[in-house]
PDB file of all heavy atoms in Angstrom:
ATOM      1  N   TYR B  78     -95.461  -4.673 -53.836  1.00  0.00           N
ATOM      2  CA  TYR B  78     -95.055  -5.999 -54.306  1.00  0.00           C
ATOM      3  C   TYR B  78     -95.743  -6.321 -55.625  1.00  0.00           C
ATOM      4  O   TYR B  78     -95.137  -6.864 -56.549  1.00  0.00           O
ATOM      5  CB  TYR B  78     -95.406  -7.055 -53.261  1.00  0.00           C
ATOM      6  CG  TYR B  78     -94.595  -6.930 -51.988  1.00  0.00           C
ATOM      7  CD1 TYR B  78     -95.046  -6.162 -50.925  1.00  0.00           C
ATOM      8  CD2 TYR B  78     -93.382  -7.587 -51.856  1.00  0.00           C
ATOM      9  CE1 TYR B  78     -94.304  -6.042 -49.769  1.00  0.00           C
ATOM     10  CE2 TYR B  78     -92.631  -7.482 -50.703  1.00  0.00           C
ATOM     11  CZ  TYR B  78     -93.097  -6.701 -49.656  1.00  0.00           C
ATOM     12  OH  TYR B  78     -92.359  -6.591 -48.517  1.00  0.00           O
ATOM     13  N   ILE B  79     -97.051  -5.972 -55.700  1.00  0.00           N
ATOM     14  CA  ILE B  79     -97.808  -6.280 -56.916  1.00  0.00           C
ATOM     15  C   ILE B  79     -97.307  -5.427 -58.081  1.00  0.00           C
ATOM     16  O   ILE B  79     -97.108  -5.925 -59.191  1.00  0.00           O
ATOM     17  CB  ILE B  79     -99.314  -6.090 -56.662  1.00  0.00           C
ATOM     18  CG1 ILE B  79     -99.779  -7.142 -55.646  1.00  0.00           C
ATOM     19  CG2 ILE B  79    -100.117  -6.207 -57.953  1.00  0.00           C
ATOM     20  CD1 ILE B  79    -101.087  -6.846 -54.978  1.00  0.00           C
ATOM     21  N   ASP B  80     -97.042  -4.145 -57.795  1.00  0.00           N
ATOM     22  CA  ASP B  80     -96.507  -3.266 -58.840  1.00  0.00           C
ATOM     23  C   ASP B  80     -95.225  -3.838 -59.444  1.00  0.00           C
ATOM     24  O   ASP B  80     -95.014  -3.787 -60.657  1.00  0.00           O
ATOM     25  CB  ASP B  80     -96.182  -1.882 -58.267  1.00  0.00           C
ATOM     26  CG  ASP B  80     -97.442  -1.057 -58.087  1.00  0.00           C
ATOM     27  OD1 ASP B  80     -98.523  -1.554 -58.475  1.00  0.00           O
ATOM     28  OD2 ASP B  80     -97.344   0.068 -57.573  1.00  0.00           O
ATOM     29  N   LEU B  81     -94.384  -4.351 -58.565  1.00  0.00           N
ATOM     30  CA  LEU B  81     -93.098  -4.854 -59.041  1.00  0.00           C
ATOM     31  C   LEU B  81     -93.261  -6.021 -60.000  1.00  0.00           C
ATOM     32  O   LEU B  81     -92.477  -6.186 -60.930  1.00  0.00           O
ATOM     33  CB  LEU B  81     -92.220  -5.286 -57.860  1.00  0.00           C
ATOM     34  CG  LEU B  81     -91.525  -4.152 -57.118  1.00  0.00           C
ATOM     35  CD1 LEU B  81     -90.902  -4.663 -55.832  1.00  0.00           C
ATOM     36  CD2 LEU B  81     -90.460  -3.519 -57.997  1.00  0.00           C
ATOM     37  N   LEU B  82     -94.308  -6.832 -59.768  1.00  0.00           N
ATOM     38  CA  LEU B  82     -94.527  -7.970 -60.655  1.00  0.00           C
ATOM     39  C   LEU B  82     -94.823  -7.522 -62.080  1.00  0.00           C
ATOM     40  O   LEU B  82     -94.645  -8.277 -63.029  1.00  0.00           O
ATOM     41  CB  LEU B  82     -95.682  -8.841 -60.128  1.00  0.00           C
ATOM     42  CG  LEU B  82     -95.431  -9.541 -58.788  1.00  0.00           C
ATOM     43  CD1 LEU B  82     -96.651 -10.311 -58.350  1.00  0.00           C
ATOM     44  CD2 LEU B  82     -94.212 -10.464 -58.869  1.00  0.00           C
ATOM     45  N   HIS B  83     -95.270  -6.263 -62.228  1.00  0.00           N
ATOM     46  CA  HIS B  83     -95.567  -5.750 -63.567  1.00  0.00           C
ATOM     47  C   HIS B  83     -94.465  -4.837 -64.098  1.00  0.00           C
ATOM     48  O   HIS B  83     -94.637  -4.181 -65.108  1.00  0.00           O
ATOM     49  CB  HIS B  83     -96.895  -4.984 -63.557  1.00  0.00           C
ATOM     50  CG  HIS B  83     -98.043  -5.820 -63.098  1.00  0.00           C
ATOM     51  ND1 HIS B  83     -98.550  -6.870 -63.834  1.00  0.00           N
ATOM     52  CD2 HIS B  83     -98.762  -5.786 -61.958  1.00  0.00           C
ATOM     53  CE1 HIS B  83     -99.541  -7.435 -63.172  1.00  0.00           C
ATOM     54  NE2 HIS B  83     -99.687  -6.807 -62.027  1.00  0.00           N
ATOM     55  N   ASP B  84     -93.359  -4.779 -63.361  1.00  0.00           N
ATOM     56  CA  ASP B  84     -92.293  -3.856 -63.737  1.00  0.00           C
ATOM     57  C   ASP B  84     -91.250  -4.610 -64.561  1.00  0.00           C
ATOM     58  O   ASP B  84     -90.647  -5.572 -64.074  1.00  0.00           O
ATOM     59  CB  ASP B  84     -91.682  -3.294 -62.436  1.00  0.00           C
ATOM     60  CG  ASP B  84     -90.447  -2.461 -62.685  1.00  0.00           C
ATOM     61  OD1 ASP B  84     -90.165  -2.146 -63.849  1.00  0.00           O
ATOM     62  OD2 ASP B  84     -89.759  -2.127 -61.705  1.00  0.00           O
ATOM     63  N   TRP B  85     -91.034  -4.186 -65.800  1.00  0.00           N
ATOM     64  CA  TRP B  85     -90.095  -4.939 -66.652  1.00  0.00           C
ATOM     65  C   TRP B  85     -88.674  -4.899 -66.111  1.00  0.00           C
ATOM     66  O   TRP B  85     -87.903  -5.834 -66.262  1.00  0.00           O
ATOM     67  CB  TRP B  85     -90.141  -4.455 -68.102  1.00  0.00           C
ATOM     68  CG  TRP B  85     -89.481  -3.114 -68.328  1.00  0.00           C
ATOM     69  CD1 TRP B  85     -90.076  -1.906 -68.235  1.00  0.00           C
ATOM     70  CD2 TRP B  85     -88.111  -2.869 -68.659  1.00  0.00           C
ATOM     71  NE1 TRP B  85     -89.175  -0.910 -68.483  1.00  0.00           N
ATOM     72  CE2 TRP B  85     -87.966  -1.461 -68.754  1.00  0.00           C
ATOM     73  CE3 TRP B  85     -87.000  -3.685 -68.884  1.00  0.00           C
ATOM     74  CZ2 TRP B  85     -86.741  -0.862 -69.054  1.00  0.00           C
ATOM     75  CZ3 TRP B  85     -85.793  -3.076 -69.194  1.00  0.00           C
ATOM     76  CH2 TRP B  85     -85.668  -1.681 -69.276  1.00  0.00           C
ATOM     77  N   VAL B  86     -88.321  -3.773 -65.466  1.00  0.00           N
ATOM     78  CA  VAL B  86     -86.967  -3.702 -64.903  1.00  0.00           C
ATOM     79  C   VAL B  86     -86.800  -4.760 -63.818  1.00  0.00           C
ATOM     80  O   VAL B  86     -85.774  -5.432 -63.740  1.00  0.00           O
ATOM     81  CB  VAL B  86     -86.662  -2.307 -64.327  1.00  0.00           C
ATOM     82  CG1 VAL B  86     -85.232  -2.249 -63.825  1.00  0.00           C
ATOM     83  CG2 VAL B  86     -86.898  -1.226 -65.354  1.00  0.00           C
ATOM     84  N   PHE B  87     -87.840  -4.924 -63.010  1.00  0.00           N
ATOM     85  CA  PHE B  87     -87.749  -5.921 -61.943  1.00  0.00           C
ATOM     86  C   PHE B  87     -87.593  -7.327 -62.535  1.00  0.00           C
ATOM     87  O   PHE B  87     -86.831  -8.136 -62.006  1.00  0.00           O
ATOM     88  CB  PHE B  87     -88.983  -5.848 -61.043  1.00  0.00           C
ATOM     89  CG  PHE B  87     -88.878  -6.735 -59.830  1.00  0.00           C
ATOM     90  CD1 PHE B  87     -87.934  -6.490 -58.853  1.00  0.00           C
ATOM     91  CD2 PHE B  87     -89.714  -7.838 -59.675  1.00  0.00           C
ATOM     92  CE1 PHE B  87     -87.822  -7.308 -57.739  1.00  0.00           C
ATOM     93  CE2 PHE B  87     -89.606  -8.662 -58.561  1.00  0.00           C
ATOM     94  CZ  PHE B  87     -88.662  -8.395 -57.602  1.00  0.00           C
ATOM     95  N   HIS B  88     -88.275  -7.584 -63.628  1.00  0.00           N
ATOM     96  CA  HIS B  88     -88.102  -8.884 -64.295  1.00  0.00           C
ATOM     97  C   HIS B  88     -86.643  -9.093 -64.689  1.00  0.00           C
ATOM     98  O   HIS B  88     -86.077 -10.148 -64.483  1.00  0.00           O
ATOM     99  CB  HIS B  88     -88.982  -8.967 -65.551  1.00  0.00           C
ATOM    100  CG  HIS B  88     -90.438  -8.967 -65.246  1.00  0.00           C
ATOM    101  ND1 HIS B  88     -91.408  -8.943 -66.209  1.00  0.00           N
ATOM    102  CD2 HIS B  88     -91.097  -8.971 -64.060  1.00  0.00           C
ATOM    103  CE1 HIS B  88     -92.593  -8.932 -65.642  1.00  0.00           C
ATOM    104  NE2 HIS B  88     -92.435  -8.948 -64.333  1.00  0.00           N
ATOM    105  N   ARG B  89     -86.053  -8.038 -65.250  1.00  0.00           N
ATOM    106  CA  ARG B  89     -84.643  -8.118 -65.635  1.00  0.00           C
ATOM    107  C   ARG B  89     -83.768  -8.344 -64.410  1.00  0.00           C
ATOM    108  O   ARG B  89     -82.798  -9.101 -64.448  1.00  0.00           O
ATOM    109  CB  ARG B  89     -84.184  -6.820 -66.325  1.00  0.00           C
ATOM    110  CG  ARG B  89     -84.815  -6.628 -67.674  1.00  0.00           C
ATOM    111  CD  ARG B  89     -83.785  -6.182 -68.665  1.00  0.00           C
ATOM    112  NE  ARG B  89     -82.724  -7.165 -68.831  1.00  0.00           N
ATOM    113  CZ  ARG B  89     -81.902  -7.179 -69.862  1.00  0.00           C
ATOM    114  NH1 ARG B  89     -82.029  -6.288 -70.813  1.00  0.00           N
ATOM    115  NH2 ARG B  89     -80.950  -8.074 -69.946  1.00  0.00           N
ATOM    116  N   VAL B  90     -84.127  -7.640 -63.314  1.00  0.00           N
ATOM    117  CA  VAL B  90     -83.346  -7.756 -62.089  1.00  0.00           C
ATOM    118  C   VAL B  90     -83.333  -9.197 -61.598  1.00  0.00           C
ATOM    119  O   VAL B  90     -82.275  -9.739 -61.254  1.00  0.00           O
ATOM    120  CB  VAL B  90     -83.922  -6.815 -61.000  1.00  0.00           C
ATOM    121  CG1 VAL B  90     -83.390  -7.181 -59.623  1.00  0.00           C
ATOM    122  CG2 VAL B  90     -83.589  -5.374 -61.326  1.00  0.00           C
ATOM    123  N   VAL B  91     -84.504  -9.839 -61.625  1.00  0.00           N
ATOM    124  CA  VAL B  91     -84.582 -11.225 -61.165  1.00  0.00           C
ATOM    125  C   VAL B  91     -83.720 -12.110 -62.067  1.00  0.00           C
ATOM    126  O   VAL B  91     -82.896 -12.892 -61.589  1.00  0.00           O
ATOM    127  CB  VAL B  91     -86.050 -11.718 -61.154  1.00  0.00           C
ATOM    128  CG1 VAL B  91     -86.116 -13.195 -60.801  1.00  0.00           C
ATOM    129  CG2 VAL B  91     -86.864 -10.905 -60.162  1.00  0.00           C
ATOM    130  N   ARG B  92     -83.877 -11.918 -63.368  1.00  0.00           N
ATOM    131  CA  ARG B  92     -83.113 -12.723 -64.326  1.00  0.00           C
ATOM    132  C   ARG B  92     -81.606 -12.500 -64.124  1.00  0.00           C
ATOM    133  O   ARG B  92     -80.842 -13.455 -63.992  1.00  0.00           O
ATOM    134  CB  ARG B  92     -83.526 -12.305 -65.739  1.00  0.00           C
ATOM    135  CG  ARG B  92     -82.709 -12.905 -66.848  1.00  0.00           C
ATOM    136  CD  ARG B  92     -83.151 -12.330 -68.195  1.00  0.00           C
ATOM    137  NE  ARG B  92     -82.135 -12.470 -69.203  1.00  0.00           N
ATOM    138  CZ  ARG B  92     -81.169 -11.584 -69.443  1.00  0.00           C
ATOM    139  NH1 ARG B  92     -81.092 -10.476 -68.724  1.00  0.00           N
ATOM    140  NH2 ARG B  92     -80.272 -11.793 -70.382  1.00  0.00           N
ATOM    141  N   ASN B  93     -81.208 -11.219 -64.080  1.00  0.00           N
ATOM    142  CA  ASN B  93     -79.785 -10.909 -63.909  1.00  0.00           C
ATOM    143  C   ASN B  93     -79.229 -11.501 -62.623  1.00  0.00           C
ATOM    144  O   ASN B  93     -78.132 -12.032 -62.608  1.00  0.00           O
ATOM    145  CB  ASN B  93     -79.559  -9.402 -63.863  1.00  0.00           C
ATOM    146  CG  ASN B  93     -79.869  -8.743 -65.181  1.00  0.00           C
ATOM    147  OD1 ASN B  93     -79.903  -9.394 -66.211  1.00  0.00           O
ATOM    148  ND2 ASN B  93     -80.123  -7.446 -65.142  1.00  0.00           N
ATOM    149  N   SER B  94     -80.004 -11.376 -61.541  1.00  0.00           N
ATOM    150  CA  SER B  94     -79.512 -11.863 -60.255  1.00  0.00           C
ATOM    151  C   SER B  94     -79.240 -13.352 -60.312  1.00  0.00           C
ATOM    152  O   SER B  94     -78.239 -13.826 -59.782  1.00  0.00           O
ATOM    153  CB  SER B  94     -80.522 -11.587 -59.137  1.00  0.00           C
ATOM    154  OG  SER B  94     -80.739 -10.213 -59.029  1.00  0.00           O
ATOM    155  N   PHE B  95     -80.144 -14.082 -60.973  1.00  0.00           N
ATOM    156  CA  PHE B  95     -79.938 -15.527 -61.046  1.00  0.00           C
ATOM    157  C   PHE B  95     -78.763 -15.875 -61.945  1.00  0.00           C
ATOM    158  O   PHE B  95     -77.946 -16.731 -61.609  1.00  0.00           O
ATOM    159  CB  PHE B  95     -81.219 -16.242 -61.502  1.00  0.00           C
ATOM    160  CG  PHE B  95     -82.151 -16.495 -60.352  1.00  0.00           C
ATOM    161  CD1 PHE B  95     -83.182 -15.615 -60.064  1.00  0.00           C
ATOM    162  CD2 PHE B  95     -81.959 -17.590 -59.518  1.00  0.00           C
ATOM    163  CE1 PHE B  95     -84.018 -15.824 -58.978  1.00  0.00           C
ATOM    164  CE2 PHE B  95     -82.785 -17.811 -58.423  1.00  0.00           C
ATOM    165  CZ  PHE B  95     -83.825 -16.925 -58.157  1.00  0.00           C
ATOM    166  N   ILE B  96     -78.648 -15.173 -63.087  1.00  0.00           N
ATOM    167  CA  ILE B  96     -77.496 -15.455 -63.969  1.00  0.00           C
ATOM    168  C   ILE B  96     -76.195 -15.120 -63.245  1.00  0.00           C
ATOM    169  O   ILE B  96     -75.244 -15.906 -63.235  1.00  0.00           O
ATOM    170  CB  ILE B  96     -77.597 -14.639 -65.279  1.00  0.00           C
ATOM    171  CG1 ILE B  96     -78.824 -15.074 -66.064  1.00  0.00           C
ATOM    172  CG2 ILE B  96     -76.328 -14.798 -66.119  1.00  0.00           C
ATOM    173  CD1 ILE B  96     -79.061 -14.277 -67.323  1.00  0.00           C
TER     174      ILE B  96
END
Side-chain angles (χ1 to χ4, degrees):
Chain B
Y78 293 91
I79 294 162
D80 282 356
L81 281 170
L82 295 178
H83 302 291
D84 173 10
W85 74 271
V86 183
F87 187 66
H88 294 175
R89 291 224 61 162
V90 164
V91 175
R92 172 184 159 271
N93 293 340
S94 300
F95 276 95
I96 296 176

